[in-house]
Amino acid sequence: MKDKQLFSDPKKIYEKMVSDIQNAKKEILLETYIYSNDKIGKLFRDELMKKAVEGVRIRILIDGWGKEVGRKFFKDLAVLGAKIRFFREFKYSWSFIDDNHERNHRKLLVIDRNVSYIGSINITEKCLNWSELVLRIEGDLGFAFRKSFNRSWKKFNIWNKQKIKKIVHENYELIHCSPSELSKSSFEKNYRKLIGRANKEIVIETPYFVPSKGIRKEIRGALERGVDIKLVLPKKSDVWLVDVVRNRYLGKLHKFGVKIYYHPKILHSKLLVIDDNFFLFGSSNLDYRSFLHQYEINLFGRDKKIIKELKKHFNKNLGKSKRFNYALWKNRWKLNKVIEKIVVWFQKYL
């Protein structure tokens, strides 16, 4: 699987990304939600500056909310010809909260239309001790990723909810998700559809678990068909309130038959594999923010080699994880239960 490599260790991901950047000859495209002013952010900027000096075309698209850097951070890089855009910087309007809640959560790196990275990782040292999931791909799929990047680049400051259609390339689909009502969410619909097609096994990894009613219904239906479902979550994510909300669902899902596990690290990977036949992964979390408010990109496919590596990754994380304890969950503090009931009303804004 030389043309496709799966990574979960952030240090190795960044090392490989930087190595590919150093070997770039023509073009580098970077799209990310978070870009930090820290050793990782500076490392990428400095390497990009070296390539800009060599004449490599560089475009960087960073979300206006997730950014932890400003234009000053990229001043010298811009002078060298690189183009930097911030996706939807804050807008004052009557629908201030809804408008500014719609963020570009996609993560892509495309080099020379030949080497591409898609997955969960941002450009920040915060995640160095997390568990991530990124796929590096060599070959023609880079044209599809470049097309995806260009669509985001053109619409970086357009405030509408126009959907971007999926991009089909051979045996893969790049699924673009845009802010929408839950009933129209492409990611939520695809997730439900895939669960509904399962016959034997479903494996899921997600950092934030706030499943819609439709997904919970499909999960229960799959269990009734005898499908084995394993769910790996971080014991504690980096967003406490989302952990509070997810507790509302875990007990019932456990009783229905979902096998739930807690990973000791902050697990930031997003993954779904069905029956060793289909995979879906990328930037989307299994929560209402991804369903309703974020621009996401996910790769869907049937590639057996990728599925084998994804299952290997999943089983490795499973081996590090502890099984959900229903008795502990049931006897959690009463105050926690009260907070859960309150916070669940605001789950779509978490």
Side-chain angles (χ1 to χ4, degrees):
M1 194 169 143
K2 289 182 179 179
D3 60 333
K4 302 178 186 74
Q5 294 174 280
L6 201 70
F7 297 91
S8 59
D9 182 344
K11 292 178 183 177
K12 291 181 180 178
I13 296 169
Y14 290 141
E15 285 173 4
K16 193 65 177 175
M17 282 180 165
V18 168
S19 175
D20 284 329
I21 287 170
Q22 290 170 341
N23 291 321
K25 304 298 181 186
K26 296 179 179 179
E27 182 183 63
I28 300 169
L29 309 175
L30 175 62
E31 183 174 8
T32 187
Y33 175 59
I34 295 173
Y35 194 115
S36 295
N37 184 355
D38 57 26
K39 67 179 182 181
I40 296 299
K42 290 173 182 175
L43 171 65
F44 272 73
R45 181 195 60 188
D46 293 348
E47 292 298 333
L48 290 168
M49 285 179 65
K50 292 174 187 176
K51 302 312 293 186
V53 169
E54 294 174 14
V56 174
R57 297 186 302 274
I58 297 168
R59 284 185 286 160
I60 303 171
L61 181 61
I62 305 169
D63 184 71
W65 185 340
K67 68 175 183 179
E68 296 178 357
V69 293
R71 286 175 175 77
K72 187 177 179 181
F73 180 85
F74 293 109
K75 183 180 177 182
D76 292 339
L77 182 59
V79 168
L80 291 168
K83 296 180 180 178
I84 299 96
R85 288 180 175 176
F86 294 102
F87 186 93
R88 288 196 179 180
E89 294 187 89
F90 277 78
K91 172 188 176 184
Y92 293 95
S93 66
W94 289 108
S95 53
F96 177 82
I97 294 176
D98 285 339
D99 282 345
N100 290 300
H101 217 56
E102 295 174 359
R103 308 316 318 171
N104 183 9
H105 195 243
R106 295 169 182 157
K107 290 100 175 168
L108 278 179
L109 174 63
V110 186
I111 299 169
D112 292 341
R113 307 185 190 189
N114 180 56
V115 176
S116 308
Y117 290 81
I118 184 172
S120 64
I121 202 165
N122 292 291
I123 308 301
T124 174
E125 67 177 318
K126 292 177 185 175
C127 69
L128 284 174
N129 293 315
W130 295 6
S131 178
E132 299 279 0
L133 183 61
V134 171
L135 181 66
R136 178 188 182 273
I137 306 169
E138 291 183 34
D140 290 345
L141 199 55
F143 287 90
F145 286 121
R146 187 178 188 273
K147 187 176 182 180
S148 167
F149 177 91
N150 283 334
R151 287 177 172 181
S152 298
W153 182 260
K154 290 174 184 177
K155 296 179 181 293
F156 83 106
N157 208 24
I158 299 174
W159 294 78
N160 63 37
K161 297 185 180 182
Q162 183 180 357
K163 287 190 174 181
I164 299 177
K165 294 180 181 179
K166 65 186 178 184
I167 298 173
V168 179
H169 182 87
E170 297 178 353
N171 295 320
Y172 303 95
E173 290 181 15
L174 282 182
I175 301 172
H176 292 85
C177 310
S178 302
S180 64
E181 298 172 14
L182 186 60
S183 61
K184 298 177 182 178
S185 168
S186 57
F187 177 68
E188 199 266 355
K189 281 167 115 177
N190 276 285
Y191 218 94
R192 281 194 283 114
K193 190 185 295 183
L194 288 172
I195 291 172
R197 293 170 68 177
N199 294 310
K200 296 179 181 178
E201 182 187 54
I202 298 170
V203 302
I204 300 169
E205 274 186 7
T206 183
Y208 317 118
F209 184 69
V210 188
S212 67
K213 186 177 180 180
I215 287 176
R216 298 197 306 271
K217 183 179 178 181
E218 290 294 346
I219 285 174
R220 189 167 184 180
L223 291 165
E224 289 171 353
R225 296 195 303 273
V227 177
D228 181 58
I229 303 179
K230 297 184 182 76
L231 169 64
V232 174
L233 308 167
K235 186 176 181 181
K236 290 183 181 179
S237 77
D238 61 318
V239 184
W240 172 76
L241 274 178
V242 177
D243 294 348
V244 171
V245 175
R246 81 179 183 189
N247 276 337
R248 291 278 295 168
Y249 305 108
L250 297 184
K252 269 191 177 180
L253 289 172
H254 169 82
K255 288 186 76 175
F256 291 154
V258 177
K259 296 169 184 173
I260 303 167
Y261 300 84
Y262 286 136
H263 193 278
K265 282 188 176 182
I266 292 181
L267 178 140
H268 194 238
S269 53
K270 308 94 166 45
L271 165 67
L272 173 71
V273 178
I274 305 287
D275 291 343
D276 290 344
N277 290 326
F278 309 99
F279 69 84
L280 179 69
F281 81 96
S283 65
S284 288
N285 298 307
L286 195 51
D287 66 1
Y288 280 86
R289 271 180 65 81
S290 281
F291 300 155
L292 302 174
H293 301 298
Q294 295 187 154
Y295 292 83
E296 306 276 9
I297 183 168
N298 297 283
L299 183 66
F300 168 79
R302 304 165 183 250
D303 189 308
K304 293 294 184 182
K305 290 181 180 178
I306 292 179
I307 290 170
K308 184 179 178 181
E309 291 301 308
L310 289 171
K311 287 293 294 292
K312 185 178 176 182
H313 158 87
F314 180 85
N315 288 328
K316 185 178 179 181
N317 276 342
L318 194 66
K320 298 175 182 177
S321 304
K322 288 188 177 181
R323 192 76 179 262
F324 172 79
N325 188 314
Y326 180 75
L328 282 176
W329 175 86
K330 194 173 182 181
N331 294 316
R332 65 198 185 283
W333 287 355
K334 288 183 179 180
L335 180 60
N336 280 19
K337 296 178 183 180
V338 172
I339 295 172
E340 288 168 20
K341 288 179 181 178
I342 296 170
V343 176
V344 77
W345 289 99
F346 304 99
Q347 61 188 2
K348 73 174 186 175
Y349 288 113
L350 297 178

